[in-house]
Amino acid sequence: GIEAAGFLDDRFPTTLRGIPDPPTVVFLRGVLADGSVAAVAIVGARRPSSRSTEATKKAAELSVGYGASVISGLAIGCDAVAHQTCVDMGGHTVAVLAHGLGVPIQPRRNRGLAESIVSSGGALISEYRLPVDPSRRHFVDRNRMQSGLAWGVFVVESRADGGTMHTATFASRQGRPL
């Protein structure tokens, strides 16, 4: 159930083609929304405050209500809340992974969520070959793809040195509203 799409393939996300440093190939499991469907990246802290958790839910609910696809990174915290809210509401969500689709989903506690994303009509996507494990650099690349897949980025909460700030920086470089 995993497909590869090169930069010139029809299944390659059109929004990624327009960023300064697109991947040359992506690996997909599930269904990506058409490039004409609005998409918003919702990202934030791994240990969000209760206020940020509620803000994440509200952002995902509003996105689904407007028919937008929700993009996030399947991390613990705000990412998982955004994905789960979208799945619960019957919306479309895409999880950008920092590892290949041929290794077990990380973090382990979100494996069930990953399956729910695919079974509900969403997708898992990665720019890494199937057997590639996560590494520190891959998380930065994942953040580049999160903003690259989205029409805009909603940052819920982050430390000044948090990984979420990479997504915000990429959004700015890619011309995405933040």
Side-chain angles (χ1 to χ4, degrees):
I2 298 170
E3 298 179 50
F7 185 80
L8 298 176
D9 293 340
D10 289 341
R11 295 240 328 136
F12 192 90
T14 56
T15 52
L16 283 181
R17 284 193 182 115
I19 66 173
D21 51 355
T24 55
V25 64
V26 294
F27 298 89
L28 308 162
R29 182 170 167 234
V31 179
L32 290 177
D34 179 294
S36 65
V37 173
V40 62
I42 301 174
V43 296
R46 292 179 194 264
R47 291 184 208 105
S49 65
S50 59
R51 187 172 181 203
S52 291
T53 298
E54 289 306 311
T56 302
K57 287 179 184 176
K58 186 66 172 174
E61 289 169 355
L62 288 170
S63 298
V64 171
Y66 283 108
S69 182
V70 172
I71 313 295
S72 204
L74 199 65
I76 294 166
C78 291
D79 291 15
V81 170
H83 288 304
Q84 188 65 61
T85 302
C86 191
V87 168
D88 291 346
M89 293 186 64
H92 184 269
T93 187
V94 175
V96 183
L97 305 179
H99 57 77
L101 292 171
V103 300
I105 294 292
Q106 295 296 322
R108 173 179 284 189
R109 76 163 64 163
N110 287 345
R111 288 178 183 170
L113 177 56
E115 290 305 314
S116 294
I117 289 169
V118 173
S119 66
S120 69
L124 307 177
I125 187 170
S126 175
E127 66 182 298
Y128 296 104
R129 296 190 182 278
L130 301 183
V132 175
D133 288 321
S135 77
R136 181 175 282 255
R137 174 66 195 161
H138 295 171
F139 288 96
V140 175
D141 292 339
R142 176 200 65 187
N143 295 341
R144 178 186 99 260
M145 280 187 57
Q146 286 177 111
S147 61
L149 285 166
W151 292 17
V153 176
F154 183 78
V155 174
V156 181
E157 175 184 8
S158 179
R159 295 186 330 258
D161 64 347
T164 299
M165 295 309 291
H166 290 289
T167 309
T169 300
F170 285 120
S172 178
R173 288 182 193 159
Q174 296 166 352
R176 305 294 195 253
L178 183 61

